[in-house]
């Protein structure tokens, strides 16, 4: 059985309560970086958007290691995007019985991880590196 190194693993977070603009500010900093470097960056950045993005990166790495058998040290964030979600509209009561509209914006965040280790194939004796001749 051969594992393709072009296989990508992703995690998707939907309806996260923050504007897409604020989440993109953080996602732009981690795109193209390694998994371990990304976790350090997200732990040290002071923005509120870092926590849900941290959870998504961690979840995508767990998917990669559990479902595909990839090593977490070889993972790189190949794609990270933020799309706008629905806007939740509420009414806040104000003076004289009036209602004041509140718009809570949401976003959808997608984190895609790619394996950068050399190609492996599996035989009866365990994993072997693919020989290129």
């Amino acid at each position: 059985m051969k594992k393709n190194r072009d296989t990508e693993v992703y995690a998707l977070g939907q309806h996260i309560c923050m504007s897409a603009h604020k989440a993109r500010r953080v996602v732009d900093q981690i795109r193209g970086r390694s998994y371990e470097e990304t976790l350090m960056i997200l732990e040290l950045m002071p923005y509120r958007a870092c926590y849900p993005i941290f959870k998504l990166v961690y979840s995508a790495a767990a998917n990669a290691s559990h479902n595909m058998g990839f090593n977490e040290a070889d993972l790189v964030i190949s794609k990270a995007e933020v799309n706008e979600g629905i806007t939740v509209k509420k009414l806040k009561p104000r003076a004289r019985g009036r209602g004041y509209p509140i718009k809570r914006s949401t976003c959808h965040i997608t984190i895609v991880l790619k394996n950068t280790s050399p190609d492996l194939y599996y035989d009866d004796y365990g994993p072997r590196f693919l020989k290129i001749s």
Side-chain angles (χ1 to χ4, degrees):
M1 180 175 114
K2 181 183 160 196
K3 289 189 179 180
N4 191 358
R5 74 182 285 201
D6 294 330
T7 304
E8 294 181 335
V9 182
Y10 72 96
L12 178 63
Q14 292 186 321
H15 306 293
I16 296 173
C17 287
M18 74 180 57
S19 71
H21 180 75
K22 292 176 184 176
R24 275 189 201 111
R25 178 173 57 178
V26 175
V27 165
D28 289 341
Q29 299 294 320
I30 64 169
R31 194 176 290 120
R33 296 187 189 264
S34 68
Y35 168 69
E36 291 158 345
E37 186 180 3
T38 299
L39 292 184
M40 286 189 290
I41 288 172
L42 290 174
E43 284 179 2
L44 296 174
M45 284 179 83
Y47 304 118
R48 196 190 84 166
C50 290
Y51 183 65
I53 294 171
F54 179 88
K55 283 173 55 172
L56 278 172
V57 170
Y58 195 79
S59 174
N63 291 342
S65 65
H66 184 265
N67 297 340
M68 305 299 288
F70 292 153
N71 188 6
E72 291 179 351
D74 298 329
L75 297 174
V76 170
I77 296 183
S78 64
K79 189 163 76 168
E81 62 181 23
V82 179
N83 299 319
E84 289 187 10
I86 61 170
T87 302
V88 180
K89 295 172 183 140
K90 298 178 179 180
L91 282 175
K92 181 175 177 128
R94 298 303 290 260
R96 296 184 174 188
R98 293 187 172 95
Y100 181 74
I102 294 176
K103 295 179 183 175
R104 298 288 306 265
S105 57
T106 62
C107 65
H108 307 313
I109 303 174
T110 306
I111 304 290
V112 180
L113 296 177
K114 189 172 186 180
N115 190 19
T116 58
S117 67
D119 286 342
L120 293 174
Y121 72 93
Y122 287 81
D123 57 9
D124 296 335
Y125 304 108
R128 306 272 184 246
F129 286 105
L130 185 64
K131 294 179 182 175
I132 301 171
S133 54

